[in-house]
Amino acid sequence: MVEAGMETSRINDPRTPPSTPPAGCDVVTVPARQGLEAVDILRRGTGEAVGPVLHDDGGGTLGFLVPPGTAAAWDVPGSTCTETDGRGLPLAPEPPMEGSDWLLPPGEADLATDPAMLREALGEAARTIEAADSCR
């Protein structure tokens, strides 16, 4: 979002590294297969369309960090969006939850994933998976 010539999608606090997503990001959780496909779709785009992504090995899910407030309007079937309010979600090289790991860690992924772009990518991923499964 651009306002008065300033980029407002990043934190402008000089003490916060520019590669750190906003604190308190919400998390969109999807099945790993659909999430991996969505990551590929997003990375084929502008390259900056996907933010940090967590992989939960035990649960077979991916968690996309999205801007705070996304959970209030998230309505994509087959996924959930959890509001974190910044509680216990450190954006550091170490994964924030035991049994998880960063697929795209903070620092490699600049901003939280844009929810509209994620919604489109998840839809395309679902269609791609459905088409692939119907060919078997």
Side-chain angles (χ1 to χ4, degrees), residues 25-32 34-35 56 61-67 70-84 115 118-119 122:
C25 291
D26 291 351
V27 180
V28 172
T29 305
V30 298
Q34 183 181 13
D56 173 20
T61 61
L62 288 186
F64 291 83
L65 274 60
V66 293
T70 300
W74 191 258
D75 61 352
V76 177
S79 68
T80 59
C81 188
T82 306
E83 188 175 340
T84 65
L118 179 57
R119 181 177 277 117
L122 289 172

Side-chain angles (χ1 to χ4, degrees), residues 38-122:
V39 167
D40 286 344
I41 291 165
L42 290 166
R43 292 188 98 180
R44 285 193 308 255
T46 65
E48 295 180 9
V50 62
V53 178
L54 282 165
H55 183 258
D56 173 20
D57 292 323
T61 61
L62 288 186
F64 291 83
L65 274 60
V66 293
T70 300
W74 191 258
D75 61 352
V76 177
S79 68
T80 59
C81 188
T82 306
E83 188 175 340
T84 65
D85 293 329
R87 298 175 307 228
L89 189 62
L91 297 176
E94 291 299 315
M97 296 169 278
E98 190 172 324
S100 68
D101 201 1
W102 291 108
L103 179 67
L104 295 174
E108 287 183 28
D110 288 339
L111 301 170
T113 301
D114 179 271
M117 295 179 86
L118 179 57
R119 181 177 277 117
E120 289 179 30
L122 289 172

